[in-house]
Amino acid sequence: MAYLLALDQGTTSSRAIVFDAQGQIVSTAQKPFELHTPQAGWVEQDAWDIWNTQIACVQEAIGRAGLLAKDIKGIGITNQRETTVLWHRKTGRPIAPAIVWQDRRTAAWCQDLQVQGHAERIQSLTGLLLDPYFSAGKIVWLLEHVKGARALAEQGDLAFGTIDSWLIWQLTHGLHVTDVSNASRTMLMNLQTCQWSEELLTLFNIPQSLLPKIIPSAQEIGHTAEGLLGAQIPIYSAIGDQQSALFGHNCQHAGMAKNTYGTGCFMLMHTGEQRIQSQHKLLSTVAWQAQGQKVQYALEGSVFMAGAIVQWLRDNLGIIQQSHEIEALANQVSDTDGVILVPAFTGLGAPYWQAEARAQISGLTRGSNKAHLARAALEAIAFQVADVLSAMQQDAPTPLTELRVDGGASANNLLMQFQADILGVPVLRPTMTEVTAFGAVKMAGLECGMYSASDVEQMWQLDQCFEPQMSQDARDNHLVQWRQAVRKTFADWSA
């Protein structure tokens, strides 16, 4: 029997999952690694830790399945996006900590470009809004602040990559590529041509020699290096994690959408071959491209804090010991009793894009307790998704009729029901919870011929449908109070 292997490299852990010919999970391995916050607004990782945990997971998952490397027909890679690594081409070693997508240190750089009038042109070329979220500013910061980096880059001795590039370089011992979905998140790629923009490279003063070759998401990318795993396994797909989840949910027709509840929250709507320039502060992005086929596009709204809010309650406030305990705690009260948490711990993403906004809790009374705060935290996740959907509905050519969901917090029934209530559309949770990893594996399986199109269509199975139960008046009242609280965060920091 043949098997496929998914490498799912996330913000807080690396994972590897072995799937069989029916798309069922055979084994899983997961290893966490540290996020470092050396100062306010900075979020870093050790890129070497990312690689070491990922390759350890690969070896462990294959071993747990009772397999040898030669039993793996192909690899699919999916990864946290925008996180930026610079490494030396000769040694393969990073020259500085990886700057994580959540990092806000380049806010002033973005503001300078805004003042200079470049924001509209950047969005026109890339589909992205000018924000610290994306890789371009992170590259510039590293070149300017790491001793010797600029000289090495100009000599052609440095390589840049998002995490897909970093993993592929290490897996193959030197192949420097990135897939088109990850490239579309750098703020350096022309979204129409799917090539690096010379105009933006000049504007940002980034040497083109740093950059990897842009390739389709699905093709035979390369093979694992001899001696690494015991067999040279083909790599058949590489795709950013949110696009992979969209593919994993079978959202292959324009108008279909998914939301992933991870560290952040990411809603993507497939727009087919049509690139839609958002008029409501959403992102236009590449969904994926299979070899020999046209590029598929998507609209995206990114929320920076979702599961990370629960982690904050656990690690910083200590009101829960384990993340899953939040549902039972929140269920101890029937509502938040007016408590609203706006989780702008690292600014606010779509559709606000306020890098300087800071978190606030409002509506506290003497009777407020940790259950109210827990419920407010879950509702904050759903409210942010509702804000994104509201913007998306104004940009999209067709109305959303359902939302497919995945990620750790999608297991929270209270959150999913409130999400359906506040959106006013059914929320569909599949039986396959590893949708992100499965998207990359399905893409690899299609590319190598292990799966057929009908196979992957049938692999998505419904676990539970959460139907809206809230009245329109109640929904409107909730949203008015939420948006008033959000606006207050703007007023406080801009005053």
Side-chain angles (χ1 to χ4, degrees):
M1 181 180 289
Y3 300 86
L4 293 169
L5 176 67
L7 277 59
D8 184 0
Q9 205 300 300
T11 307
T12 57
S13 69
S14 298
R15 296 192 301 161
I17 305 176
V18 176
F19 291 85
D20 64 17
Q22 287 73 48
Q24 298 299 308
I25 293 176
V26 178
S27 67
T28 301
Q30 181 171 2
K31 294 187 182 298
F33 55 88
E34 290 187 39
L35 282 174
H36 303 283
T37 53
Q39 56 183 278
W42 289 32
V43 188
E44 298 178 344
Q45 292 166 338
D46 184 331
W48 209 244
D49 282 350
I50 293 174
W51 164 244
N52 285 333
T53 55
Q54 187 63 77
I55 193 62
C57 285
V58 167
Q59 294 164 337
E60 186 176 324
I62 293 173
R64 283 184 175 179
L67 303 175
L68 298 174
K70 65 182 179 64
D71 299 317
I72 305 298
K73 185 169 184 178
I75 291 173
I77 297 172
T78 186
N79 58 280
Q80 58 167 316
R81 306 169 304 168
E82 296 94 19
T83 296
T84 296
V85 186
L86 289 187
W87 65 91
H88 201 292
R89 290 182 178 274
K90 293 178 182 177
T91 65
R93 305 286 302 197
I95 65 164
I99 302 182
V100 180
W101 58 271
Q102 295 170 313
D103 190 280
R104 312 303 290 172
R105 75 185 66 181
T106 60
W109 179 80
C110 291
Q111 182 61 33
D112 288 345
L113 288 168
Q114 179 88 36
V115 170
Q116 293 166 24
H118 295 298
E120 185 175 340
R121 180 59 177 165
I122 289 170
Q123 184 181 11
S124 174
L125 285 170
T126 68
L128 307 178
L129 300 174
L130 182 54
D131 190 84
Y133 182 23
F134 306 108
S135 306
K138 305 179 196 303
I139 298 171
V140 170
W141 191 94
L142 288 166
L143 291 178
E144 291 179 352
H145 290 85
V146 177
K147 186 177 180 179
R150 171 68 64 181
L152 286 171
E154 291 176 351
Q155 293 164 15
D157 289 333
L158 281 190
F160 151 74
T162 45
I163 298 301
D164 60 318
S165 295
W166 171 242
L167 293 179
I168 291 169
W169 177 285
Q170 298 299 336
L171 285 165
T172 62
H173 290 178
L175 181 61
H176 194 205
V177 297
T178 187
D179 104 285
V180 67
S181 73
N182 278 290
S184 74
R185 312 299 299 187
T186 61
M187 210 166 74
L188 294 173
M189 191 190 84
N190 183 314
L191 196 59
Q192 190 65 39
T193 65
C194 293
Q195 299 296 320
W196 299 122
S197 167
E198 292 185 11
E199 179 181 341
L200 292 179
L201 292 174
T202 299
L203 175 64
F204 302 150
N205 191 22
I206 295 175
Q208 187 153 357
S209 62
L210 274 176
L211 305 180
K213 178 183 178 181
I214 299 174
I215 61 172
S217 312
Q219 68 170 46
E220 188 170 336
I221 296 170
H223 291 71
T224 58
E226 187 175 357
L228 182 66
L229 295 171
Q232 292 184 276
I233 307 172
I235 302 168
Y236 283 111
S237 70
I239 182 171
D241 54 7
Q242 304 312 319
Q243 290 94 330
S244 187
L246 189 70
F247 194 84
H249 275 296
N250 290 342
C251 294
Q252 299 194 40
H253 304 290
M256 298 183 73
K258 72 88 195 176
N259 192 59
T260 296
Y261 300 82
T263 303
C265 226
F266 302 89
M267 182 184 290
L268 270 72
M269 177 181 284
H270 189 195
T271 61
E273 296 174 19
Q274 182 180 8
R275 171 194 164 185
I276 295 177
Q277 188 77 24
S278 176
Q279 302 302 310
H280 298 90
K281 296 188 176 181
L282 298 181
L283 310 176
S284 298
T285 192
V286 169
W288 57 75
Q289 182 188 20
Q291 186 176 26
Q293 298 181 19
K294 292 185 177 180
V295 173
Q296 300 293 298
Y297 292 97
L299 278 172
E300 175 174 339
S302 305
V303 170
F304 297 150
M305 299 290 291
I309 309 171
V310 179
Q311 293 168 358
W312 177 74
L313 293 179
R314 181 193 68 198
D315 300 339
N316 295 57
L317 299 190
I319 70 171
I320 53 175
Q321 297 300 311
Q322 303 291 332
S323 294
H324 65 82
E325 295 170 5
I326 193 169
E327 183 174 7
L329 179 59
N331 265 321
Q332 292 178 10
V333 292
S334 59
D335 56 46
T336 68
D337 195 27
V339 176
I340 299 175
L341 167 62
V342 181
F345 295 97
T346 56
L348 286 172
Y352 302 106
W353 295 105
Q354 298 286 350
E356 301 300 328
R358 287 297 175 261
Q360 290 192 2
I361 302 172
S362 60
L364 292 171
T365 68
R366 184 66 181 82
S368 301
N369 60 41
K370 62 183 181 180
H372 294 115
L373 187 56
R375 196 174 187 102
L378 294 179
E379 290 189 1
I381 298 172
F383 282 134
Q384 291 177 102
V385 174
D387 285 340
V388 171
L389 178 62
S390 176
M392 195 169 281
Q393 296 282 49
Q394 295 177 75
D395 281 328
T398 55
L400 184 70
T401 58
E402 66 178 36
L403 182 66
R404 300 189 174 197
V405 298
D406 65 277
S410 68
N412 188 311
N413 290 338
L414 187 156
L415 173 58
M416 292 301 98
Q417 184 58 58
F418 189 77
Q419 188 71 86
D421 287 341
I422 211 68
L423 293 180
V425 298
V427 169
L428 278 60
R429 183 176 65 199
T431 56
M432 167 62 73
T433 57
E434 301 289 356
V435 178
T436 300
F438 195 40
V441 150
K442 286 201 295 188
M443 187 169 283
L446 287 167
E447 185 64 24
C448 72
M450 188 164 158
Y451 298 153
S452 68
S454 60
D455 288 338
V456 299
E457 186 73 27
Q458 294 168 11
M459 286 173 181
W460 193 95
Q461 298 290 324
L462 180 67
D463 169 49
Q464 188 167 347
C465 177
F466 297 86
E467 294 282 355
Q469 298 175 0
M470 186 180 288
S471 69
Q472 185 64 50
D473 285 348
R475 182 180 304 121
D476 290 343
N477 186 52
H478 274 295
L479 289 170
V480 165
Q481 292 181 34
W482 161 254
R483 287 164 185 162
Q484 286 174 344
V486 170
R487 283 195 295 272
K488 190 172 186 301
T489 69
F490 300 168
D492 284 355
W493 72 259
S494 61

